[in-house]
Amino acid sequence: MRFPFLLVSAFFAATAASAQNSQTLLATPTTVAWGYYSAHAKPVLTVHSGDTVIMQTASTCGAPQRLKAEGVADADIPTWLGDLYDKVPQADRGPGGHILTGPVAVAEAEPGDVLEVRILKIQLDTNFACNGFGAGRGFLPDDFPYGRTKIIPLDRTRMTAAFAPGITIPLHPFFGSMGIAPPESAGKWNSAPPWMHGGNMDNKELTAGSVVFYPVHASGALFEAGDGHAGQGNGEVDITALETFLTGTFQFIVHKGEAAQEHLLWPRAETPNAYIAMGFHEDLTKATEMAVRNMITFLSEQNPDYPHLSRDDAYALISTACDVNITQLVDTKSGVHVMCPKNLFTGPKRKSAE
């Protein structure tokens, strides 16, 4: 793609400061989409390209009563959480289980465009995370035919989790689910499986300072976010990560006609240090094929920063210098992402990228 990918922290700070407008979207019974993405969802907020939105999100750890029963102190449970469980009608929930904040419509976005979502900041909102699995779920359901929940204390000053005596996990907060409306024909799409709209990608690389590019399928794009994670291992094998409450600051930029012109069919992303291509499919091998093919296409046709490679060289570069990672194995559709380090490119940039 021809548009720039400047992802250093100073640039993000400057773009946030110069955003046309900034708004805050709290998680309330009227501002969440419980368990779905949909081209027919009514926007709870409409912004313009260049605007910034601060979005408060709920975790997947359950209702306040459940958290209290598991030993979470009242003071650590967000005061607004109970309203979501008490006031969102059952008829408005599902088919999935994630409580997503949004959708946010970007007025200029139309099918055929690309929506660039810059993740400017991620804030941890509580002092705990939960991890749990249930009977028949996770990657090894027959090995663990029962359910368990573990509450894990978080130290937001040191940015660590006290998993167990002698085991400390560094925190890297990110949103497990960030997506836009799928194609209209998909109807009310379950929030669990990721797809061409992004959604429940569970990609731990998409922390603050990263950016995701989505091909737009519906007017306004209809962005939603949730499923906050304080950290995660690739694979997310027991079906959950360090699930917690996050507030994210996102900037939205529309690139008119770029999805159609560049044949972008699947979301892709960048960190300050790497290009990322993704694939999602029920079959892990097919998900891997998709991710590798998407990176070949990026390197040979879409890289906005450096001269394009031949398809042969793109294939070889992935094999010799890029990493093919299992994103997650437990969301109905498995996820795979290819990481291509930016420091491999030591030659001059394309003129359009300068």
Side-chain angles (χ1 to χ4, degrees):
M1 293 184 183
R2 300 183 303 281
F3 41 85
F5 299 80
L6 304 174
L7 296 177
V8 295
S9 298
F11 174 75
F12 266 158
T15 55
S18 63
Q20 296 175 19
N21 191 26
S22 182
Q23 300 191 57
T24 297
L25 186 61
L26 300 179
T28 72
T30 60
T31 63
V32 298
W34 195 308
Y36 65 90
Y37 290 88
S38 173
H40 296 289
K42 182 179 179 181
V44 300
L45 178 67
T46 298
V47 300
H48 292 279
S49 181
D51 286 354
T52 299
V53 181
I54 301 168
M55 300 175 66
Q56 181 186 65
T57 67
S59 78
T60 60
C61 294
Q65 297 87 341
R66 177 179 175 182
L67 294 175
K68 291 177 186 179
E70 290 163 352
V72 178
D74 284 349
D76 287 335
I77 301 173
T79 56
W80 48 265
L81 181 63
D83 268 356
L84 300 185
Y85 284 88
D86 293 341
K87 297 180 181 179
V88 176
Q90 290 291 334
D92 292 343
R93 304 181 188 185
H98 302 92
I99 303 175
L100 305 170
T101 301
V104 174
V106 184
E108 295 80 4
E110 295 291 341
D113 298 340
V114 164
L115 180 66
E116 175 184 351
V117 179
R118 295 176 178 173
I119 307 164
L120 303 181
K121 182 180 179 181
I122 300 176
Q123 172 184 298
L124 277 166
D125 290 340
T126 55
N127 295 318
F128 72 93
C130 73
N131 177 268
F133 54 85
R137 308 185 71 193
F139 189 62
L140 299 174
D142 295 339
D143 293 35
F144 299 89
Y146 50 87
R148 190 195 80 153
T149 298
K150 181 180 179 70
I151 300 299
I152 302 164
L154 304 180
D155 186 326
R156 290 185 282 173
T157 300
R158 294 183 174 86
M159 291 298 287
T160 57
F163 181 82
I167 301 177
T168 302
I169 302 174
L171 302 185
H172 300 283
F174 72 99
F175 291 90
S177 194
M178 295 183 292
I180 61 173
E184 183 178 9
S185 60
K188 203 173 187 180
W189 185 265
N190 189 314
S191 64
W195 194 34
M196 59 180 60
H197 69 298
N200 194 34
M201 298 179 287
D202 282 328
N203 190 326
K204 72 175 187 178
E205 304 295 339
L206 302 182
T207 57
S210 300
V211 62
V212 186
F213 301 91
Y214 300 90
V216 175
H217 306 292
S219 292
L222 304 180
F223 179 82
E224 300 173 7
D227 188 27
H229 295 169
Q232 178 194 291
N234 275 338
E236 199 187 22
V237 294
D238 79 352
I239 205 169
T240 58
L242 288 170
E243 309 288 331
T244 195
F245 297 79
L246 300 179
T247 293
T249 303
F250 304 94
Q251 186 179 26
F252 304 100
I253 299 173
V254 174
H255 301 279
K256 298 300 295 181
E258 291 289 354
Q261 187 164 344
E262 302 293 342
H263 307 292
L264 183 68
L265 301 177
W266 296 87
R268 67 175 195 80
E270 292 190 24
T271 72
N273 301 314
Y275 302 110
I276 302 176
M278 294 174 265
F280 311 112
H281 198 277
E282 292 85 352
D283 182 284
L284 180 60
T285 298
K286 291 186 180 301
T288 307
E289 291 171 351
M290 292 170 62
V292 173
R293 286 179 178 132
N294 286 340
M295 182 56 80
I296 290 171
T297 298
F298 170 75
L299 293 171
S300 63
E301 301 177 25
Q302 297 173 339
N303 191 332
D305 300 326
Y306 295 96
H308 295 164
L309 305 179
S310 68
R311 287 182 60 82
D312 290 355
D313 276 350
Y315 190 29
L317 182 65
I318 294 167
S319 187
T320 56
C322 304
D323 290 320
V324 180
N325 297 318
I326 295 175
T327 321
Q328 54 76 24
L329 294 162
V330 291
D331 292 332
T332 308
K333 291 178 182 285
S334 294
V336 173
H337 63 280
V338 179
M339 300 277 293
C340 187
K342 292 181 177 179
N343 62 11
L344 299 176
F345 301 89
T346 56
K349 289 190 172 185
R350 299 177 65 197
K351 289 184 179 180
S352 61
E354 295 173 351

